Amino acid sequence: MKVQLKKIADQVMVITGATSGIGLTTARKAARRGTRLVLVARNEDALRQLAGELTSEGCKALYVAADVGKEEDVRRVAETAIREFGGFDTWVNNAGVSIFGRMEDVSLEDQRRLIDTNFWGVVHGSLLAAKHLKEKGGAIINIGSEVSDRAVPLQGIYSASKHAVKGFTDSLRVELEAENAPVSVTLIKPASIDTMFVPHAKNYMQVEPQLPPPVYAPEVVADAILHAAAHPMRDIYVGGVAKLTASGAYHLPRLIDSYMKRFAFKQQQSDKPAQDRERNSLYRPVGDGLRQRQGRDGRVHESSWYTQAALHPTATRVLMFGAGLALAALWNSRRSSA
């Protein structure tokens, strides 16, 4: 069955992790395009502020304070969307947390908590969304990572959670397709993104963590999410380096191991002393306002040619064909004048 998705302006969209980073950026972009929103996060004060902001700009937005690691909380989100809006068309599982540190140093309690949010949060949201969307059609969009395909040191349990998200998402997609359900299931795999990911992570290292370059803007991910909400896609790599990493992990795993041993540790450790380890969002939200970006010192890529090409393959082929014809014409003209 070919899945038909509504235009963004005609949709009701549920976004988890909506008060920070990718979720916040996506909510603001969707609101400007007329989407009705169900905003989900643990921080009720931030949710109230965001809903007020978007409502003042003409968007219909409501919020539900919820911990996605708890099934009853996520069920309450779905029930609210159905009661207030008559349902939803797209469900974005974006909420996530991270931990920096060697696997042997990170407590099992912290590892379990991360899995509750990053993996079980996706499972809870996806299954509830699938049950609703099988009746009316729509999209489930799960936020994975480039580490869904290639784990990295110092973020071992985070990598494990994103591997699990990929496995669950791929299996769910095939099961829904096998029963001809009118549901699109997309996995988004971003590279390093300038969000509050690092400040919100729990840090076991002696120095402050940092993201390895290249780093992209959250708007690049938000654009990919909104595209997938209206155009069925299997998966989307955000940033060409994410696709390169996945290809390298598949074709040259030992070479990538060697690269990781040599560079990945240094790339994720800054020269700044570690701050208070207890200031993190693993168990409770950090009250630092509605922030889309950390404000990285180095360069942040505001666009990705690779991702744009992946989202618009037909237009890309036409442009490349046109460029080829132009180069051929230029070459022939030079040969004729020689």
Side-chain angles (χ1 to χ4, degrees):
M1 175 185 291
K2 185 176 180 180
V3 178
Q4 298 289 336
L5 301 177
K6 295 180 180 179
K7 296 179 180 179
I8 292 295
D10 298 329
Q11 289 197 23
V12 174
M13 183 179 295
V14 177
I15 304 176
T16 71
T19 56
S20 178
I22 292 168
L24 176 59
T25 307
T26 304
R28 285 170 168 162
K29 276 182 166 283
R32 287 195 290 270
R33 293 174 61 175
T35 311
R36 290 171 289 170
L37 295 171
V38 181
L39 308 167
V40 184
R42 292 173 297 176
N43 190 331
E44 187 165 6
D45 290 339
L47 282 170
R48 185 181 300 109
Q49 180 182 342
L50 177 60
E53 170 196 320
L54 300 182
T55 299
S56 69
E57 295 173 358
C59 171
K60 293 182 179 180
L62 58 88
Y63 66 87
V64 183
D67 182 339
V68 297
K70 300 177 180 178
E71 183 185 9
E72 61 271 23
D73 279 18
V74 181
R75 189 176 301 280
R76 184 160 44 83
V77 173
E79 291 171 349
T80 301
I82 293 169
R83 182 178 65 251
E84 299 297 329
F85 286 140
F88 50 86
D89 304 288
T90 295
W91 186 297
V92 182
N93 287 304
N94 165 73
V97 292
S98 190
I99 300 172
F100 284 87
R102 293 177 178 270
M103 294 291 289
E104 292 175 297
D105 296 334
V106 179
S107 74
L108 290 178
E109 180 184 10
D110 285 351
Q111 294 189 46
R112 290 190 180 100
R113 174 58 184 177
L114 182 146
I115 294 295
D116 281 344
T117 300
N118 291 14
F119 175 65
W120 285 110
V122 170
V123 172
H124 296 154
S126 295
L127 295 180
L128 283 166
K131 181 179 180 180
H132 176 73
L133 295 176
K134 282 197 291 186
E135 301 297 326
K136 57 176 295 186
I140 298 170
I141 302 174
N142 294 338
I143 308 304
S145 168
E146 62 181 344
V147 303
S148 294
D149 296 308
R150 169 66 218 199
V152 297
L154 302 181
Q155 289 192 74
I157 194 62
Y158 177 79
S159 298
S161 74
K162 293 302 183 178
H163 269 63
V165 166
K166 178 182 183 300
F168 169 80
T169 303
D170 289 348
S171 179
L172 177 65
R173 180 190 302 111
V174 173
E175 290 176 3
L176 291 173
E177 289 177 353
E179 60 179 286
N180 289 320
V183 184
S184 170
V185 180
T186 303
L187 181 64
I188 308 282
K189 302 178 187 178
S192 297
I193 307 296
D194 183 25
T195 65
M196 298 302 290
F197 179 89
V198 170
H200 288 177
K202 188 164 187 177
N203 179 29
Y204 278 80
M205 302 189 299
Q206 298 302 309
V207 296
E208 281 294 287
Q210 63 182 12
L211 293 175
V215 178
Y216 297 85
E219 285 81 0
V220 185
V221 190
D223 288 341
I225 292 170
L226 296 180
H227 183 88
H231 306 86
M233 297 194 71
R234 185 183 191 277
D235 45 29
I236 302 172
Y237 291 93
V238 177
V241 69
K243 178 63 175 178
L244 182 63
T245 299
S247 297
Y250 182 80
H251 295 288
L252 301 165
R254 290 303 291 167
L255 180 62
I256 301 299
D257 285 348
S258 298
Y259 176 89
M260 291 287 178
K261 285 187 287 186
R262 184 173 180 183
F263 298 107
F265 290 88
K266 294 180 180 179
Q267 288 178 334
Q268 296 181 87
Q269 298 181 73
S270 73
D271 57 3
K272 301 175 183 177
Q275 302 298 309
D276 181 9
R277 180 181 295 177
E278 298 310 311
R279 181 173 172 77
N280 63 77
S281 66
L282 192 58
Y283 293 93
R284 62 194 63 82
V286 177
D288 51 11
L290 299 172
R291 294 185 60 181
Q292 294 180 192
R293 305 192 188 195
Q294 176 185 359
R296 188 172 182 273
D297 293 335
R299 181 185 178 188
V300 174
H301 296 266
E302 299 295 330
S303 62
S304 166
W305 184 90
Y306 172 83
T307 302
Q308 283 300 309
L311 296 182
H312 306 285
T314 301
T316 300
R317 285 194 292 268
V318 170
L319 286 173
M320 292 181 69
F321 181 72
L325 290 178
L327 287 172
L330 178 62
W331 174 255
N332 287 331
S333 66
R334 287 186 175 182
R335 289 184 61 189
S336 299
S337 60

